[in-house]
Amino acid sequence: MATPLFHDGLTVHTQNHDYPIVITEKTTTEKDASATITMAEQVAPYISGQQVLIVTNETVAPLYLQPLQKQLAEQFTVRVCVLPDGEQYKNQASINQIYDELMAQHFNRDVTLIALGGGVVGDMTGFAAASFMRGVNFIQIPTTLLSQVDSSVGGKTGINHPQGKNMIGAFWQPQMVLADMSTLQTLPARELSAGLAEVIKYALIMDVNFLTWLEHNLPAMMALDLAILGEAVKRCCEHKAAVVAQDEREAGLRALLNFGHTFGHVIETHEGYGNWLHGEAIAAGMVQAAELSQKMGWLSVNEVVRIKRVLALANLPTTPPPIAVQTALDLMGHDKKVKNGQIRLILLKSLGQAVLTNDFDDQLLTDVLSQHTS
């Protein structure tokens, strides 16, 4: 018996406005008898004004752009900006491509930008929306698992700098998020695994029962059971929405969502953006954070083994590339969580309980980093 279609959603509450996350397997790009509603019909009520710019990339555009553009053009003036695909293009040059299209079309403050793609497209579109004419509306249509469970929700937008990841950006909330599970059917297996890293992250930092659920359901998720994937996306978005409602601009609690990211961003920056996928780097970074937590007496050796096992089950790396200790420490010094010159890390007090702290022995951090220098 086939798994039934999935359709659910929730609301994100922020200081400026509330917005829905629609999680569904029922939308399609084409109108047909089996589709409840198309992508265009889902997002149209959240478009203000008559001007729309769809921002996508060269990989996603052939899959979903044409029908979305055609259907929206029945109601709105629609233009398109197609960016090159890859983390290495998450930079000022790509942002300028978006600005150039907006300026060329004489679009104004009534424009709505639609991010059609993964986390890179979403982050850049959101940053362009936050900064064009000091702020215009945008909508997220995330087409990767990583962006559906994490980057499309919560309003973090930005670009990379050669010396550090996501160092330039703004908090800017979307009008709505449409997470269509059917888009995951065109996602390469490596990209699906990269998204699973962020799913596993939520279990490790705040929901140990979810970790057990994942240990049972990861095989089905990797086999593209869309209903199971939809349930995982919903659980992750529920956790993130709750955190964002309490700490929209990462004054404290929200920083916990960056578990593994300080280590992971070192990997991404050192290896060159795009050579390690974000989720792959975060997976190895979570292992390093767990190893430091174990050295501090908070996790047992068996719990670290369990973390490595679930990451391996998702076909994710559990060992970082060799990076000299001082190089890693220098790159960590550019992390946004550094405060008063001190590196702050998200560590695990226990499985399901994370903490942001600078109260750790520097030698223990050095020991963890030195384990993987060759």
Side-chain angles (χ1 to χ4, degrees):
M1 180 178 176
T3 305
L5 293 174
F6 187 94
H7 187 88
D8 214 326
L10 59 146
T11 300
V12 181
H13 302 282
T14 70
Q15 292 178 349
N16 293 324
H17 69 274
D18 298 344
Y19 59 91
I21 305 171
V22 177
I23 306 165
T24 183
E25 187 192 336
K26 295 185 178 182
T27 63
T28 66
T29 52
E30 300 286 0
K31 293 182 179 180
D32 61 51
S34 64
T36 303
I37 189 170
T38 66
M39 280 185 180
E41 290 169 328
Q42 278 280 30
V43 302
Y46 300 93
I47 295 173
S48 60
Q50 291 298 308
Q51 302 169 338
V52 173
L53 179 67
I54 303 173
V55 182
T56 187
N57 66 33
E58 295 167 343
T59 301
V60 176
L63 299 171
Y64 306 112
L65 175 60
Q66 186 176 12
L68 177 65
Q69 180 183 4
K70 180 180 177 181
Q71 291 162 29
L72 288 177
E74 296 173 5
Q75 297 177 252
F76 308 99
T77 300
V78 181
R79 297 293 183 268
V80 172
C81 179
V82 180
L83 301 172
D85 185 15
E87 184 79 29
Q88 65 270 37
Y89 299 108
K90 187 178 170 182
N91 55 29
Q92 189 63 54
S94 294
I95 288 291
N96 284 339
Q97 283 186 247
I98 302 174
Y99 294 150
D100 289 347
E101 188 63 33
L102 290 165
M103 296 294 290
Q105 300 302 327
H106 301 285
F107 281 174
N108 55 42
R109 283 183 173 150
D110 291 331
V111 68
T112 295
L113 276 61
I114 297 178
L116 176 65
V120 171
V121 167
D123 282 5
M124 289 196 293
T125 304
F127 185 42
S131 50
F132 182 67
M133 293 194 172
R134 298 187 176 89
V136 298
N137 289 337
F138 87 111
I139 291 168
Q140 291 268 22
I141 307 180
T143 60
T144 66
L145 181 61
L146 190 149
S147 57
Q148 288 175 353
V149 301
D150 196 70
S151 62
S152 68
V153 179
K156 275 189 177 180
T157 72
I159 57 175
N160 299 330
H161 186 275
Q163 296 181 47
K165 185 176 168 67
N166 292 331
M167 293 302 292
I168 303 164
F171 288 96
W172 195 249
Q173 302 292 344
Q175 297 300 302
M176 69 97 67
V177 178
L178 174 61
D180 185 349
M181 297 300 100
S182 65
T183 61
L184 301 181
Q185 293 174 316
T186 59
L187 195 64
R190 185 183 174 194
E191 293 275 1
L192 182 69
S193 289
L196 289 171
E198 293 283 4
V199 175
I200 294 166
K201 175 199 74 177
Y202 282 100
L204 295 179
I205 64 173
M206 58 181 59
D207 191 347
V208 71
N209 291 330
F210 187 32
L211 180 62
T212 302
W213 185 91
L214 287 172
E215 288 169 326
H216 287 94
N217 287 287
L218 272 170
M221 295 168 70
M222 296 184 71
L224 291 178
D225 184 320
L226 298 187
I228 297 296
L229 283 163
E231 179 60 30
V233 171
K234 181 188 176 186
R235 290 179 74 156
C236 293
C237 287
E238 285 175 338
H239 285 309
K240 185 156 191 180
V243 170
V244 170
Q246 297 176 68
D247 182 17
E248 182 177 351
R249 292 180 172 266
E250 202 169 296
L253 177 65
R254 186 170 177 175
L256 300 182
L257 299 178
N258 292 315
F259 175 63
H261 285 58
T262 301
F263 293 98
H265 288 171
V266 167
I267 297 170
E268 288 185 271
T269 304
H270 184 267
E271 298 301 299
Y273 298 129
N275 290 315
W276 276 60
L277 297 181
H278 176 69
E280 294 170 340
I282 297 315
M286 288 191 293
V287 171
Q288 290 180 288
E291 288 173 341
L292 181 54
S293 301
Q294 185 263 316
K295 287 180 180 296
M296 294 177 66
W298 292 345
L299 294 183
S300 69
V301 172
N302 286 339
E303 287 172 325
V304 175
V305 169
R306 184 182 180 188
I307 291 171
K308 292 180 179 179
R309 187 185 302 122
V310 73
L311 290 168
L313 190 60
N315 283 341
L316 286 162
T318 57
T319 304
I323 302 173
V325 172
Q326 192 55 54
T327 300
L329 290 171
D330 289 344
L331 289 170
M332 283 183 168
H334 291 293
D335 189 84
K336 296 187 294 299
K337 291 179 292 301
V338 170
K339 189 172 184 180
N340 297 325
Q342 288 188 303
I343 296 172
R344 297 187 299 165
L345 297 172
I346 295 92
L347 302 176
L348 296 180
K349 294 283 286 187
S350 62
L351 291 180
Q353 182 187 1
V355 61
L356 174 65
T357 181
N358 61 5
D359 187 16
F360 53 85
D361 188 328
D362 290 344
Q363 184 58 51
L364 294 181
L365 173 59
T366 298
D367 290 346
V368 168
L369 294 173
S370 63
Q371 289 175 193
H372 309 288
T373 55
S374 61

PDB file of all heavy atoms in Angstrom, residues 278-300:
ATOM      1  N   HIS A 278      27.403  22.097   2.241  1.00  0.00           N
ATOM      2  CA  HIS A 278      27.177  22.642   3.579  1.00  0.00           C
ATOM      3  C   HIS A 278      26.826  21.533   4.572  1.00  0.00           C
ATOM      4  O   HIS A 278      27.411  21.451   5.660  1.00  0.00           O
ATOM      5  CB  HIS A 278      26.060  23.685   3.522  1.00  0.00           C
ATOM      6  CG  HIS A 278      25.693  24.247   4.859  1.00  0.00           C
ATOM      7  ND1 HIS A 278      26.532  25.066   5.586  1.00  0.00           N
ATOM      8  CD2 HIS A 278      24.569  24.101   5.616  1.00  0.00           C
ATOM      9  CE1 HIS A 278      25.952  25.402   6.722  1.00  0.00           C
ATOM     10  NE2 HIS A 278      24.759  24.825   6.773  1.00  0.00           N
ATOM     11  N   GLY A 279      25.889  20.675   4.216  1.00  0.00           N
ATOM     12  CA  GLY A 279      25.474  19.619   5.133  1.00  0.00           C
ATOM     13  C   GLY A 279      26.582  18.634   5.441  1.00  0.00           C
ATOM     14  O   GLY A 279      26.667  18.108   6.560  1.00  0.00           O
ATOM     15  N   GLU A 280      27.432  18.371   4.465  1.00  0.00           N
ATOM     16  CA  GLU A 280      28.564  17.478   4.706  1.00  0.00           C
ATOM     17  C   GLU A 280      29.520  18.081   5.726  1.00  0.00           C
ATOM     18  O   GLU A 280      29.993  17.397   6.638  1.00  0.00           O
ATOM     19  CB  GLU A 280      29.283  17.212   3.385  1.00  0.00           C
ATOM     20  CG  GLU A 280      28.453  16.422   2.385  1.00  0.00           C
ATOM     21  CD  GLU A 280      29.082  16.376   1.003  1.00  0.00           C
ATOM     22  OE1 GLU A 280      29.937  17.233   0.695  1.00  0.00           O
ATOM     23  OE2 GLU A 280      28.710  15.470   0.229  1.00  0.00           O
ATOM     24  N   ALA A 281      29.816  19.371   5.557  1.00  0.00           N
ATOM     25  CA  ALA A 281      30.707  20.050   6.495  1.00  0.00           C
ATOM     26  C   ALA A 281      30.089  20.115   7.885  1.00  0.00           C
ATOM     27  O   ALA A 281      30.782  19.935   8.902  1.00  0.00           O
ATOM     28  CB  ALA A 281      31.029  21.455   5.987  1.00  0.00           C
ATOM     29  N   ILE A 282      28.787  20.344   7.956  1.00  0.00           N
ATOM     30  CA  ILE A 282      28.111  20.413   9.259  1.00  0.00           C
ATOM     31  C   ILE A 282      28.122  19.045   9.935  1.00  0.00           C
ATOM     32  O   ILE A 282      28.260  18.945  11.160  1.00  0.00           O
ATOM     33  CB  ILE A 282      26.673  20.944   9.090  1.00  0.00           C
ATOM     34  CG1 ILE A 282      26.682  22.365   8.547  1.00  0.00           C
ATOM     35  CG2 ILE A 282      25.919  20.876  10.419  1.00  0.00           C
ATOM     36  CD1 ILE A 282      27.669  23.307   9.204  1.00  0.00           C
ATOM     37  N   ALA A 283      27.971  17.985   9.160  1.00  0.00           N
ATOM     38  CA  ALA A 283      28.013  16.636   9.738  1.00  0.00           C
ATOM     39  C   ALA A 283      29.356  16.389  10.424  1.00  0.00           C
ATOM     40  O   ALA A 283      29.411  15.965  11.586  1.00  0.00           O
ATOM     41  CB  ALA A 283      27.761  15.595   8.646  1.00  0.00           C
ATOM     42  N   ALA A 284      30.447  16.657   9.703  1.00  0.00           N
ATOM     43  CA  ALA A 284      31.771  16.473  10.311  1.00  0.00           C
ATOM     44  C   ALA A 284      31.962  17.437  11.474  1.00  0.00           C
ATOM     45  O   ALA A 284      32.571  17.078  12.497  1.00  0.00           O
ATOM     46  CB  ALA A 284      32.851  16.692   9.254  1.00  0.00           C
ATOM     47  N   GLY A 285      31.420  18.649  11.351  1.00  0.00           N
ATOM     48  CA  GLY A 285      31.518  19.623  12.433  1.00  0.00           C
ATOM     49  C   GLY A 285      30.760  19.198  13.676  1.00  0.00           C
ATOM     50  O   GLY A 285      31.212  19.440  14.810  1.00  0.00           O
ATOM     51  N   MET A 286      29.617  18.540  13.491  1.00  0.00           N
ATOM     52  CA  MET A 286      28.860  18.057  14.645  1.00  0.00           C
ATOM     53  C   MET A 286      29.627  16.960  15.371  1.00  0.00           C
ATOM     54  O   MET A 286      29.564  16.864  16.605  1.00  0.00           O
ATOM     55  CB  MET A 286      27.476  17.560  14.204  1.00  0.00           C
ATOM     56  CG  MET A 286      26.533  18.688  13.795  1.00  0.00           C
ATOM     57  SD  MET A 286      24.786  18.180  13.579  1.00  0.00           S
ATOM     58  CE  MET A 286      24.891  17.100  12.145  1.00  0.00           C
ATOM     59  N   VAL A 287      30.336  16.135  14.617  1.00  0.00           N
ATOM     60  CA  VAL A 287      31.159  15.107  15.258  1.00  0.00           C
ATOM     61  C   VAL A 287      32.248  15.755  16.098  1.00  0.00           C
ATOM     62  O   VAL A 287      32.490  15.357  17.254  1.00  0.00           O
ATOM     63  CB  VAL A 287      31.767  14.166  14.205  1.00  0.00           C
ATOM     64  CG1 VAL A 287      32.803  13.238  14.855  1.00  0.00           C
ATOM     65  CG2 VAL A 287      30.683  13.336  13.536  1.00  0.00           C
ATOM     66  N   GLN A 288      32.897  16.780  15.554  1.00  0.00           N
ATOM     67  CA  GLN A 288      33.939  17.467  16.324  1.00  0.00           C
ATOM     68  C   GLN A 288      33.356  18.117  17.584  1.00  0.00           C
ATOM     69  O   GLN A 288      33.967  18.059  18.662  1.00  0.00           O
ATOM     70  CB  GLN A 288      34.624  18.513  15.451  1.00  0.00           C
ATOM     71  CG  GLN A 288      35.499  17.915  14.350  1.00  0.00           C
ATOM     72  CD  GLN A 288      36.154  18.986  13.498  1.00  0.00           C
ATOM     73  OE1 GLN A 288      35.500  19.647  12.704  1.00  0.00           O
ATOM     74  NE2 GLN A 288      37.460  19.158  13.674  1.00  0.00           N
ATOM     75  N   ALA A 289      32.181  18.731  17.460  1.00  0.00           N
ATOM     76  CA  ALA A 289      31.537  19.328  18.634  1.00  0.00           C
ATOM     77  C   ALA A 289      31.171  18.253  19.651  1.00  0.00           C
ATOM     78  O   ALA A 289      31.294  18.459  20.868  1.00  0.00           O
ATOM     79  CB  ALA A 289      30.299  20.114  18.204  1.00  0.00           C
ATOM     80  N   ALA A 290      30.724  17.112  19.164  1.00  0.00           N
ATOM     81  CA  ALA A 290      30.382  16.011  20.070  1.00  0.00           C
ATOM     82  C   ALA A 290      31.640  15.464  20.750  1.00  0.00           C
ATOM     83  O   ALA A 290      31.621  15.126  21.941  1.00  0.00           O
ATOM     84  CB  ALA A 290      29.671  14.904  19.298  1.00  0.00           C
ATOM     85  N   GLU A 291      32.746  15.384  20.000  1.00  0.00           N
ATOM     86  CA  GLU A 291      33.996  14.896  20.587  1.00  0.00           C
ATOM     87  C   GLU A 291      34.486  15.838  21.692  1.00  0.00           C
ATOM     88  O   GLU A 291      34.956  15.379  22.740  1.00  0.00           O
ATOM     89  CB  GLU A 291      35.054  14.755  19.495  1.00  0.00           C
ATOM     90  CG  GLU A 291      34.792  13.591  18.545  1.00  0.00           C
ATOM     91  CD  GLU A 291      35.748  13.575  17.364  1.00  0.00           C
ATOM     92  OE1 GLU A 291      36.373  14.630  17.070  1.00  0.00           O
ATOM     93  OE2 GLU A 291      35.858  12.518  16.726  1.00  0.00           O
ATOM     94  N   LEU A 292      34.341  17.147  21.480  1.00  0.00           N
ATOM     95  CA  LEU A 292      34.710  18.094  22.526  1.00  0.00           C
ATOM     96  C   LEU A 292      33.775  17.959  23.725  1.00  0.00           C
ATOM     97  O   LEU A 292      34.219  18.009  24.881  1.00  0.00           O
ATOM     98  CB  LEU A 292      34.690  19.521  21.976  1.00  0.00           C
ATOM     99  CG  LEU A 292      35.079  20.639  22.962  1.00  0.00           C
ATOM    100  CD1 LEU A 292      36.439  20.366  23.611  1.00  0.00           C
ATOM    101  CD2 LEU A 292      35.086  21.994  22.253  1.00  0.00           C
ATOM    102  N   SER A 293      32.491  17.773  23.463  1.00  0.00           N
ATOM    103  CA  SER A 293      31.526  17.564  24.555  1.00  0.00           C
ATOM    104  C   SER A 293      31.887  16.326  25.364  1.00  0.00           C
ATOM    105  O   SER A 293      31.763  16.315  26.598  1.00  0.00           O
ATOM    106  CB  SER A 293      30.108  17.428  23.984  1.00  0.00           C
ATOM    107  OG  SER A 293      29.731  18.577  23.250  1.00  0.00           O
ATOM    108  N   GLN A 294      32.356  15.285  24.691  1.00  0.00           N
ATOM    109  CA  GLN A 294      32.749  14.057  25.380  1.00  0.00           C
ATOM    110  C   GLN A 294      34.003  14.286  26.222  1.00  0.00           C
ATOM    111  O   GLN A 294      34.093  13.821  27.370  1.00  0.00           O
ATOM    112  CB  GLN A 294      32.972  12.948  24.349  1.00  0.00           C
ATOM    113  CG  GLN A 294      33.262  11.577  24.969  1.00  0.00           C
ATOM    114  CD  GLN A 294      34.739  11.279  25.026  1.00  0.00           C
ATOM    115  OE1 GLN A 294      35.467  11.522  24.064  1.00  0.00           O
ATOM    116  NE2 GLN A 294      35.196  10.735  26.164  1.00  0.00           N
ATOM    117  N   LYS A 295      34.962  15.035  25.680  1.00  0.00           N
ATOM    118  CA  LYS A 295      36.195  15.328  26.427  1.00  0.00           C
ATOM    119  C   LYS A 295      35.903  16.163  27.668  1.00  0.00           C
ATOM    120  O   LYS A 295      36.650  16.111  28.654  1.00  0.00           O
ATOM    121  CB  LYS A 295      37.199  16.041  25.523  1.00  0.00           C
ATOM    122  CG  LYS A 295      37.845  15.141  24.472  1.00  0.00           C
ATOM    123  CD  LYS A 295      38.820  15.915  23.613  1.00  0.00           C
ATOM    124  CE  LYS A 295      39.464  15.016  22.554  1.00  0.00           C
ATOM    125  NZ  LYS A 295      40.299  13.943  23.157  1.00  0.00           N
ATOM    126  N   MET A 296      34.798  16.939  27.631  1.00  0.00           N
ATOM    127  CA  MET A 296      34.423  17.754  28.784  1.00  0.00           C
ATOM    128  C   MET A 296      33.584  16.974  29.795  1.00  0.00           C
ATOM    129  O   MET A 296      33.174  17.514  30.829  1.00  0.00           O
ATOM    130  CB  MET A 296      33.662  18.995  28.305  1.00  0.00           C
ATOM    131  CG  MET A 296      34.522  19.948  27.487  1.00  0.00           C
ATOM    132  SD  MET A 296      33.613  21.372  26.846  1.00  0.00           S
ATOM    133  CE  MET A 296      33.200  22.232  28.376  1.00  0.00           C
ATOM    134  N   GLY A 297      33.299  15.708  29.473  1.00  0.00           N
ATOM    135  CA  GLY A 297      32.566  14.867  30.408  1.00  0.00           C
ATOM    136  C   GLY A 297      31.057  14.941  30.272  1.00  0.00           C
ATOM    137  O   GLY A 297      30.333  14.422  31.133  1.00  0.00           O
ATOM    138  N   TRP A 298      30.577  15.557  29.215  1.00  0.00           N
ATOM    139  CA  TRP A 298      29.128  15.719  29.051  1.00  0.00           C
ATOM    140  C   TRP A 298      28.494  14.572  28.270  1.00  0.00           C
ATOM    141  O   TRP A 298      27.359  14.201  28.530  1.00  0.00           O
ATOM    142  CB  TRP A 298      28.825  17.047  28.346  1.00  0.00           C
ATOM    143  CG  TRP A 298      29.144  18.253  29.188  1.00  0.00           C
ATOM    144  CD1 TRP A 298      29.371  18.277  30.523  1.00  0.00           C
ATOM    145  CD2 TRP A 298      29.272  19.605  28.745  1.00  0.00           C
ATOM    146  NE1 TRP A 298      29.631  19.553  30.959  1.00  0.00           N
ATOM    147  CE2 TRP A 298      29.577  20.399  29.881  1.00  0.00           C
ATOM    148  CE3 TRP A 298      29.169  20.235  27.508  1.00  0.00           C
ATOM    149  CZ2 TRP A 298      29.765  21.770  29.816  1.00  0.00           C
ATOM    150  CZ3 TRP A 298      29.359  21.609  27.433  1.00  0.00           C
ATOM    151  CH2 TRP A 298      29.659  22.372  28.569  1.00  0.00           C
ATOM    152  N   LEU A 299      29.203  14.038  27.292  1.00  0.00           N
ATOM    153  CA  LEU A 299      28.709  12.895  26.527  1.00  0.00           C
ATOM    154  C   LEU A 299      29.581  11.686  26.817  1.00  0.00           C
ATOM    155  O   LEU A 299      30.772  11.814  27.098  1.00  0.00           O
ATOM    156  CB  LEU A 299      28.732  13.179  25.020  1.00  0.00           C
ATOM    157  CG  LEU A 299      27.806  14.250  24.447  1.00  0.00           C
ATOM    158  CD1 LEU A 299      27.958  14.295  22.921  1.00  0.00           C
ATOM    159  CD2 LEU A 299      26.354  14.016  24.827  1.00  0.00           C
ATOM    160  N   SER A 300      28.986  10.517  26.700  1.00  0.00           N
ATOM    161  CA  SER A 300      29.757   9.287  26.830  1.00  0.00           C
ATOM    162  C   SER A 300      30.359   8.921  25.474  1.00  0.00           C
ATOM    163  O   SER A 300      29.929   9.418  24.427  1.00  0.00           O
ATOM    164  CB  SER A 300      28.862   8.147  27.314  1.00  0.00           C
ATOM    165  OG  SER A 300      27.924   7.801  26.290  1.00  0.00           O
TER     166      SER A 300
END
